[in-house]
Amino acid sequence: MVALNPVAWSAPESSPQHVYHNPRVQPSKIVEFVATRPNVSSSVFVGFGAFTEKILKDASYAPHLVRLQTRAGAGLTLVGRLSEGTSVDAVKGSVLTAYTTPIGLAKMAPSLLYLPPASASSRLVVQVPTATPAGDFLSLSPSLAALSPIWSILPDNLVVLLSSTPQQIADFATLSYRLTASHVVHLFDHYSTGREFGHSILPLADQRTQQTSVSEVLGEAGYSYFEYAGDHNARTVIVCLNGPLALVAKASVTSGSGIGIVIVNVLRPWSGSTLRSILPLTVSNVHVLEDVSTGLSNGALYSDVFASLWGNDVDVCIRSHRTIKQGIHSFLSEIAPSISKQSLHHDVIKKLLLFSVPQSPFSNISRMVEDLFLGNGGISARLLTDYDALSKQGDTSLLQYAKPGSPVLLVTPWSPKEFDSNLPLDIISLIHERRLKIFSINAKAVASQISDGTIADTIQSILAYLAFVRLYLGSSATENTVFEIARATLGSNVENIGIQQLSQVAWDNLKAIKLSPIEIPSHTSPMKQFQGNAIAVEADSSETSASGTRLGFWLTPLDYDRNVFHLEFDTSGTGLKYAIGEALGVHGWNDEQEVLDFCSWYGIDPNKLMTIPVAADDAKMHTRTVLQALQQQIDLFGRPPKSFYVELAEYANNPVDRHALLFIGSPEGSSTFKKLSEKDTVTFADILKMYPSARPGVERLCELVGDIKPRHYSIASAQSVVGNRVDLLVVTVDWVTPSGTPRCGQCTRYLAGLKIGQKVTVSIKPSVMKLPPNPKQPIIMAGLGTGAAPFRAFLQHLAHLAQKGEEIGPVYYYFGSRHQASEYLYGEEIEAFILDGVITKAGLAFSRDSTKKVYIQHKMLEDSEMLAQMLHDDEGAFYLCGPTWPVPDVYEALVNALVKYKGSDPVQAGNYLESLKEEERYVLEVY
């Protein structure tokens, strides 16, 4: 069976016979195959294209592979390689291929102005898949809005090609390297057709003559600058760039509809005469559709069309359309009423949605189904695989996309009786409303009965596939028919089990589910929307999305003036590992309402899409709404550095504002800056409101402000004890400014507002707080307030060792706060550790509970003799965690202990403590 063989559906081999005429190879893979041929490219710069990396890594003859970053100025690397006198590539002659995204191309565009003249032996080809992640679901968008500002600045010696159909994508990839007199940018559809399986693509015929002009090279291959479709006597014509939208419009217009479409295959160099030559003489209205980054101006395509038609004996009305929110079908119906909406839809197409997760035994079924259709010459099938790696809280409703009356197969261990109790009420209601026919099969249980564990996953997949075949055939399905189809595609045996046996087992275990009618209560939570066309996102290995907030409770009374709380995070499934004493970096968010209030004041739409660098990685870009960016990434309510005032001054229209900002950022304004920063604790948002004439665009504002920095909290748990959990001890930070404005710490406010199950992005930071290598070594811990957090982890681990029967050394625990009744943090646990003998002695200092203030250094002085012995004679380790103010007093207490009981003088004792730092036996973590 081909589908069960990973090689059949994995990256194709690097030879034409494996790539062309092969419906299991996506058009985008052919682009990469063409670009990596040693006869066309000498070096390949990878910013997009995993298959390229694989084949260049495996093949010794392949072009040189270079990583290409997505950042401003990245194009200078390519220019430098081609420039004489600066690179050996220019001397030898090099044809460079670069893979990048539309955002990457936009960033490198200014650098391309410095490209040297192209030649047959020295030129640049940029392959650009037109797909950009956008929105909450990271859905792929075919938008070219990111490129709209660059079309007018591209150099004259650069050709821009656009392709959309599978065959055209492969052909234009080849033609990119036949245009030997120009540098080339090839934008190909990666939103849909470029990623589809099921197309048998032919190689482009060899070039018969050595043509050099764009029109000649395209003409020999059967293409032209523009493609016209629709009514040849049309009065209305649409002009748009080649892409998914163009394909939909082309399929919708027909002869006699009064409407035509011009698809732009070559955007640069622009040929106005060619455009005029293909327009019908009857045309009176031209609609230009294009993506632009702002609605305040028309795009380059409109300018090109307008310049080509206006004043050239063509009497037409030319209109620009930025977006078509109501969809292309509705738009066509509006501009050409003769087209009925019914004629725009193709009901003969059947769509199958298969939903699974990576690494699931059933993740291969979609390819098995595609193999089934590929083997039938009478069926044209295409497979488009999407990956959604964005986890969002809430249930996902897929059934809303099911056609009314259609069958739905669920591979689940639920019995038919369990469906009523396990399915949410609104899903049951949806099933009844859409008259869906629900079927289930417990493939895992059945597979375990007829096979051993080594092949169970394969058998599960086949059983689910056989159940699908039966439902797909509908009323024409018989047990023998399913068996014959299975034998034709799978063979007579799979893993030494007869296919007839598997077919019969699948037939017998496919169950029809009948759900009881129900009524939906008014308080039911809405289901989360599911969107297709999403992609997997690459996450930094140092960051993990914790599974969710598990538990949170206050450790201090709610009416107390210092609020301390305990948080637990469930890390199941994240792979998060941490060592005792390490810190958790929490990537907090700004308050949503404050961000919305700022957007309203600043005059920006919070739902507007914008593209900004990924946090902590300027080499990667992502598309977010303004609200998402300002709430989740940009440190809008952080404290601005001096440089911000100077940079903001450039955007001040009011001279008074500009000079004030420059003064604060200058050396002479240091006292003013210090007052604003330390006393008034102003934020970036405050400064913008203080000097309202300084209004940079929101993208530039994000650059000026920068990202929210993670706040690090000492982890208050030992993973050896708590497992898939991480605990934090947090104190809320709040104050009132001199003007009376209440302030809250950004991250503590975020943590205090978390809901049970809410996900948090975190990272691990190494720490100096490490247990001694030998558990028998004495340990002295001194913690003030939330400084007790790492010592809770220490004590948990030591108690775990003692419980296993291992010997642990003496433990002295000192803790200080103001009131025992209100701030004895983890007091019950500490008392239990004392009773169990984990803590040898505890020195508890509650400074406000007596007339004489008692601090931890006073408790340490009471134990001077034992502390001196542990540190000097027994290789003990001392740890202090908390605020910086007690450090001198604690240091003095230890010096006095060594002087009094070990015969040292103060200088020697001090030097001895300093030497312990080198051995990690005198450890301070203060803030």
Side-chain angles (χ1 to χ4, degrees):
M1 174 192 171
V2 177
L4 293 179
N5 178 6
V7 175
W9 281 95
S10 61
E13 296 183 34
S14 305
S15 60
Q17 60 268 31
H18 290 98
V19 172
Y20 293 106
H21 308 285
N22 186 350
R24 295 188 182 91
V25 177
Q26 300 159 296
S28 61
K29 292 291 191 295
I30 296 182
V31 174
E32 297 184 61
F33 169 79
V34 170
T36 52
R37 298 305 85 205
N39 61 320
V40 300
S41 294
S42 57
S43 294
V44 177
F45 291 75
V46 179
F48 190 103
F51 176 45
T52 295
E53 295 190 54
K54 180 182 184 301
I55 60 177
L56 294 186
K57 180 180 179 181
D58 296 342
S60 58
Y61 63 86
H64 182 54
L65 176 67
V66 183
R67 288 275 183 184
L68 181 66
Q69 296 180 333
T70 303
R71 59 177 176 83
L76 291 175
T77 301
L78 306 172
V79 173
R81 293 263 181 158
L82 296 175
S83 299
E84 293 184 8
T86 62
S87 171
V88 68
D89 290 314
V91 177
K92 293 181 178 179
S94 296
V95 178
L96 306 183
T97 292
Y99 288 101
T100 190
T101 61
I103 294 172
L105 178 61
K107 284 186 169 293
M108 71 168 63
S111 304
L112 301 182
L113 291 171
Y114 302 98
L115 279 171
S119 68
S121 60
S122 180
R123 62 188 190 279
L124 171 66
V125 176
V126 185
Q127 304 287 355
V128 184
T130 57
T132 302
D136 277 347
F137 296 88
L138 296 186
S139 299
L140 284 183
S141 167
S143 172
L144 297 179
L147 298 176
S148 62
I150 74 162
W151 297 132
S152 60
I153 67 171
L154 291 178
D156 294 336
N157 62 344
L158 188 71
V159 174
V160 178
L161 304 177
L162 300 104
S163 59
S164 58
T165 69
Q167 185 65 55
Q168 191 181 58
I169 290 172
D171 290 346
F172 277 35
T174 301
L175 293 174
S176 300
Y177 299 95
R178 294 185 182 178
L179 294 167
T180 57
S182 306
H183 304 293
V184 179
V185 171
H186 173 212
L187 298 118
F188 61 93
D189 173 28
H190 198 64
Y191 172 75
S192 55
T193 56
R195 295 186 293 125
E196 289 176 350
F197 296 95
H199 304 282
S200 187
I201 297 174
L202 306 177
L204 190 61
D206 292 337
Q207 197 170 8
R208 296 187 298 272
T209 59
Q210 291 299 317
Q211 307 289 352
T212 57
S213 73
V214 178
S215 59
E216 290 173 338
V217 172
L218 264 66
E220 185 176 331
Y223 297 101
S224 59
Y225 270 74
F226 305 97
E227 178 185 353
Y228 183 86
D231 194 339
H232 289 282
N233 295 309
R235 296 186 59 81
T236 299
V237 170
I238 297 171
V239 181
C240 62
L241 298 178
N242 201 355
L245 180 66
L247 291 183
V248 173
K250 179 182 176 181
S252 302
V253 298
T254 58
S255 178
S257 63
I259 188 170
I261 180 169
V262 174
I263 300 173
V264 180
N265 294 328
V266 182
L267 182 61
R268 292 290 180 272
W270 180 260
S271 178
S273 60
T274 306
L275 175 64
R276 292 191 297 271
S277 69
I278 66 168
L279 286 177
L281 297 176
T282 54
V283 65
S284 59
N285 292 286
V286 173
H287 298 268
V288 181
L289 309 184
E290 61 181 324
D291 289 319
V292 290
S293 55
T294 174
L296 300 179
S297 61
N298 295 317
L301 180 59
Y302 174 81
S303 300
D304 290 333
V305 173
F306 187 88
S308 302
L309 301 182
W310 187 258
N312 285 281
D313 298 325
V314 181
D315 186 14
V316 295
C317 177
I318 307 168
R319 297 183 177 88
S320 174
H321 301 270
R322 180 189 174 203
T323 55
I324 309 171
K325 294 182 179 179
Q326 70 271 37
I328 185 62
H329 291 161
S330 299
F331 176 77
L332 291 174
S333 298
E334 288 180 9
I335 65 174
S338 59
I339 299 179
S340 64
K341 291 187 178 181
Q342 287 75 17
S343 67
L344 300 176
H345 299 282
H346 304 280
D347 295 329
V348 297
I349 298 176
K350 287 188 177 180
K351 292 184 178 180
L352 306 173
L353 173 63
L354 296 95
F355 188 82
S356 184
V357 295
Q359 311 306 320
S360 163
F362 310 106
S363 59
N364 204 36
I365 291 182
S366 60
R367 292 175 175 178
M368 296 170 68
V369 171
E370 175 71 353
D371 263 335
L372 169 64
F373 295 136
L374 289 178
N376 189 318
I379 298 177
S380 176
R382 299 183 300 175
L383 169 64
L384 180 61
T385 304
D386 298 330
Y387 301 94
D388 183 357
L390 185 66
S391 297
K392 291 181 70 69
Q393 182 180 355
D395 298 314
T396 299
S397 173
L398 300 175
L399 296 182
Q400 61 181 307
Y401 299 96
K403 183 179 179 180
S406 62
V408 177
L409 173 63
L410 299 176
V411 183
T412 175
W414 293 350
S415 67
K417 293 182 180 180
E418 291 176 312
F419 274 79
D420 273 326
S421 57
N422 286 345
L423 282 177
L425 294 180
D426 50 351
I427 291 299
I428 297 177
S429 175
L430 181 64
I431 291 172
H432 287 301
E433 178 186 333
R434 301 182 73 85
R435 307 184 312 281
L436 302 179
K437 303 168 186 176
I438 308 299
F439 298 85
S440 75
I441 183 170
N442 189 350
K444 183 176 182 179
V446 176
S448 64
Q449 296 172 5
I450 60 177
S451 64
D452 58 38
T454 60
I455 62 171
D457 285 357
T458 299
I459 300 304
Q460 286 184 62
S461 186
I462 293 174
L463 291 172
Y465 166 74
L466 292 169
F468 160 79
V469 173
R470 176 181 174 184
L471 294 180
Y472 183 79
L473 293 176
S475 58
S476 61
T478 65
E479 190 171 348
N480 187 63
T481 304
V482 174
F483 162 64
E484 292 295 339
I485 291 175
R487 184 170 62 176
T489 56
L490 304 176
S492 299
N493 294 278
V494 175
E495 303 290 357
N496 297 319
I497 299 178
I499 197 64
Q500 187 166 15
Q501 178 188 354
L502 292 174
S503 180
Q504 182 177 352
V505 169
W507 185 278
D508 295 339
N509 285 274
L510 182 64
K511 307 296 183 183
I513 306 299
K514 292 185 178 180
L515 298 172
S516 305
I518 50 90
E519 293 184 3
I520 300 294
S522 59
H523 62 271
T524 302
S525 301
M527 300 297 287
K528 184 186 76 172
Q529 296 295 306
F530 166 79
Q531 289 189 9
N533 251 344
I535 61 171
V537 291
E538 182 180 333
D540 189 300
S541 59
S542 64
E543 295 186 3
T544 304
S545 178
S547 290
T549 312
R550 173 174 175 168
L551 179 66
F553 53 84
W554 295 100
L555 294 175
T556 53
L558 294 179
D559 58 354
Y560 194 55
D561 63 352
R562 193 165 186 262
N563 298 317
V564 182
F565 57 97
H566 170 88
L567 273 179
E568 295 179 6
F569 294 101
D570 181 2
T571 63
S572 301
T574 67
L576 184 72
K577 302 294 181 186
Y578 59 91
I580 294 171
E582 290 188 325
L584 190 75
V586 177
H587 299 248
W589 292 3
N590 290 320
D591 180 74
E592 181 178 4
Q593 189 56 52
E594 286 190 357
V595 173
L596 290 172
D597 291 343
F598 175 83
C599 289
S600 176
W601 173 82
Y602 207 70
I604 48 177
D605 180 4
N607 296 315
K608 173 189 174 184
L609 288 178
M610 57 185 294
T611 300
I612 57 175
V614 174
D617 190 351
D618 289 342
K620 298 179 180 178
M621 306 293 290
H622 61 173
T623 301
R624 315 289 285 161
T625 65
V626 170
L627 174 61
Q628 288 172 329
L630 296 184
Q631 182 190 12
Q632 303 172 17
Q633 181 173 337
I634 303 304
D635 198 13
L636 184 63
F637 303 109
R639 297 189 188 181
K642 235 184 180 187
S643 58
F644 175 74
Y645 294 87
V646 178
E647 293 171 333
L648 184 63
E650 299 178 16
Y651 299 91
N653 296 326
N654 187 320
V656 175
D657 287 353
R658 182 168 62 255
H659 289 299
L661 289 166
L662 290 173
F663 172 76
I664 298 171
S666 69
E668 294 78 9
S670 295
S671 59
T672 304
F673 170 75
K674 185 175 182 179
K675 175 183 179 297
L676 289 171
S677 180
E678 298 178 8
K679 186 177 181 180
D680 299 337
T681 61
V682 295
T683 67
F684 289 98
D686 291 333
I687 297 302
L688 290 165
K689 292 180 179 180
M690 288 171 63
Y691 303 101
S693 73
R695 289 282 183 107
V698 66
E699 290 87 354
R700 179 57 179 152
L701 177 63
C702 292
E703 293 179 19
L704 294 176
V705 173
D707 297 334
I708 297 172
K709 305 297 188 294
R711 270 57 167 185
H712 292 94
Y713 299 88
S714 296
I715 296 176
S717 57
Q719 198 161 30
S720 58
V721 176
V722 301
N724 292 325
R725 201 181 86 199
V726 58
D727 298 354
L728 295 185
L729 177 61
V730 183
V731 58
T732 58
V733 180
D734 50 27
W735 68 98
V736 178
T737 68
S739 63
T741 304
R743 298 280 199 209
C744 296
Q746 183 262 354
C747 201
T748 54
R749 179 180 185 176
Y750 169 71
L751 290 174
L754 290 176
K755 303 295 189 295
I756 299 296
Q758 185 172 339
K759 292 176 174 57
V760 178
T761 299
V762 300
S763 55
I764 297 296
K765 180 184 179 182
S767 170
V768 294
M769 303 289 284
K770 302 174 183 177
L771 279 172
N774 185 351
K776 298 179 183 179
Q777 288 179 254
I779 298 175
I780 307 162
M781 310 176 202
L784 281 84
T786 54
F791 302 137
R792 181 175 184 256
F794 280 22
L795 293 168
Q796 283 183 348
H797 184 70
L798 292 171
H800 176 63
L801 295 179
Q803 189 177 31
K804 293 194 302 181
E806 297 185 28
E807 183 181 352
I808 62 174
V811 175
Y812 274 48
Y813 177 75
Y814 297 95
F815 174 75
S817 64
R818 293 181 298 175
H819 300 287
Q820 182 173 4
S822 303
E823 283 186 84
Y824 187 11
L825 304 180
Y826 300 121
E828 295 85 354
E829 295 182 13
I830 299 302
E831 297 299 327
F833 287 134
I834 295 172
L835 291 174
D836 291 342
V838 176
I839 295 177
T840 308
K841 184 173 183 180
L844 306 175
F846 301 102
S847 60
R848 308 293 172 86
D849 283 350
S850 60
T851 55
K852 181 181 179 181
K853 291 185 178 180
V854 179
Y855 298 106
I856 58 170
Q857 61 266 27
H858 300 132
K859 294 294 182 180
M860 291 171 62
L861 287 172
E862 296 174 5
D863 302 323
S864 293
E865 183 175 3
M866 185 54 67
L867 296 181
Q869 178 182 327
M870 288 193 290
L871 289 176
H872 191 273
D873 302 335
D874 300 336
E875 296 186 342
F878 175 83
Y879 303 88
L880 172 65
C881 185
T884 56
W885 63 262
V887 171
D889 295 325
V890 168
Y891 179 83
E892 185 179 353
L894 293 175
V895 167
N896 289 339
L898 292 170
V899 169
K900 184 174 181 179
Y901 294 103
K902 295 305 170 184
S904 301
D905 61 39
V907 176
Q908 290 175 329
N911 291 337
Y912 181 73
L913 287 179
E914 290 299 319
S915 70
L916 294 185
K917 289 183 179 180
E918 300 298 323
E919 301 176 31
E920 297 184 339
R921 290 174 49 208
Y922 182 70
V923 180
L924 307 179
E925 188 171 275
V926 293
Y927 37 83

